[in-house]
Amino acid sequence: SWVPGQPYHSPAVRRLATDIPGSQLGQLGANAEELCIRFDNGMAVQVHGQTGSLMAIRQRVMARSDAFQLGDGLQAEYDIGGNLVRLYAKFAQDLEGPYVSFNSDSTLSLRETCCYKAGRVLSKLQSDIPSSFIADAMRQLIIPVKRAIDMGLARNEEALCTAHGVDPNLVPAAELARLEQPTPVAPPVLKVLPPVGPPFKASDHFQGALPGWAFKLGSMGLGYYQESFAKSAVLGDGSWEALLEAPPQGEVGPAWVGPFASKA
């Protein structure tokens, strides 16, 4: 069975991550306090500046000359004590799919959990979160990276594994030192529809509506993005549209005030 060398709240995340061959130190965006360690396979971890504990696990971070840039994929974020607090995905710089926030006892926070499409909220019901989303995130991102850097799971992560039928001993460590492939593979939790032809047409101004394209400022600059490039669907039967048109499972929960609202 898996016996990690460091606990989930370890302040030695920087050392654990930089022990991986090929790892790079830098900042993700403009925040200079939270150090980011990017691995050769494109994954990355961030460190809380005050404590040195784990701040985030990112599925894809791109290397730039001046700083790292967040790429498409799953994101797992942690509080200063090393507890998992958020799971979500980004595509073409927009929130896409489930946005799941956790309470300290590993239950979902109904006030902050919702579903997004192209950066807009589509549903505020917990019942619209696919049952496989958390399990897939544990198998595809959290456990593989933590095993690779020899760090244990937080208590709420252990509870989530038990609740969603995930055995950490059966999940292999991520190959962090393996060079990133030219074409990244989307995580199983989300299906990314492959674009037909170039997914982006640069344009410094809006030239009218183009069927199948959206004019926006995204990861490739200002211009027209092919809609299928950023469109994703939940694993399982049907599309996001079909899922959200289906009747809810019954629970409504308290009034929703947005994914970043502070708790009273």
Side-chain angles (χ1 to χ4, degrees):
S1 63
W2 172 33
V3 180
Q6 292 288 330
Y8 68 92
H9 51 73
S10 171
V13 175
R14 173 174 178 168
R15 176 181 61 79
L16 296 174
T18 53
D19 282 346
I20 304 297
S23 59
Q24 300 172 279
L25 295 174
Q27 273 73 45
L28 184 59
N31 195 335
E33 282 192 25
E34 278 72 34
L35 183 70
C36 182
I37 301 99
R38 182 187 183 274
F39 306 107
D40 273 348
N41 74 341
M43 291 179 167
V45 296
Q46 280 182 278
V47 180
H48 281 290
Q50 294 180 339
T51 62
S53 59
L54 182 64
M55 174 185 172
I57 302 176
R58 312 291 185 187
Q59 190 168 36
R60 187 161 184 258
V61 166
M62 297 173 288
R64 295 290 184 261
S65 58
D66 54 344
F68 296 147
Q69 180 179 335
L70 185 64
D72 293 345
L74 285 166
Q75 321 293 330
E77 296 180 347
Y78 297 81
D79 64 19
I80 203 166
N83 301 293
L84 178 66
V85 292
R86 278 179 295 277
L87 276 177
Y88 61 93
K90 277 197 168 187
F91 284 86
Q93 301 301 308
D94 287 329
L95 289 168
E96 184 75 27
Y99 182 102
V100 181
S101 179
F102 299 98
N103 298 315
S104 58
D105 60 356
S106 79
T107 58
L108 297 189
S109 170
L110 296 180
R111 293 172 61 89
E112 300 181 11
T113 294
C114 52
C115 294
Y116 281 87
K117 183 175 181 180
R120 296 190 176 188
V121 175
L122 283 185
S123 172
K124 306 166 189 176
L125 296 178
Q126 180 181 340
S127 57
D128 284 335
I129 301 296
S131 59
S132 63
F133 178 71
I134 295 174
D136 287 337
M138 297 299 297
R139 292 190 182 102
Q140 300 299 324
L141 180 67
I142 294 174
I143 297 174
V145 171
K146 284 199 165 187
R147 290 199 70 155
I149 64 174
D150 202 21
M151 170 177 278
L153 297 177
R155 293 175 182 174
N156 65 342
E157 290 173 328
E158 293 176 346
L160 288 169
C161 285
T162 300
H164 294 273
V166 178
D167 185 350
N169 296 307
L170 301 180
V171 179
E175 298 180 20
L176 300 179
R178 178 178 55 83
L179 288 177
E180 183 179 12
Q181 298 301 310
T183 303
V185 178
V189 66
L190 296 171
K191 289 181 179 177
V192 178
L193 303 180
V196 178
F200 173 69
K201 297 179 181 179
S203 177
D204 59 2
H205 66 282
F206 182 68
Q207 301 179 27
L210 296 178
W213 296 79
F215 183 76
K216 61 184 289 185
L217 178 61
S219 59
M220 297 184 185
L222 184 64
Y224 288 86
Y225 287 79
Q226 195 170 52
E227 290 182 350
S228 61
F229 178 66
K231 185 177 181 181
S232 63
V234 181
L235 272 181
D237 296 330
S239 63
W240 266 109
E241 289 82 357
L243 172 70
L244 295 172
E245 288 174 1
Q249 299 300 312
E251 108 292 328
V252 177
W256 184 83
V257 295
F260 306 106
S262 59
K263 298 179 181 178

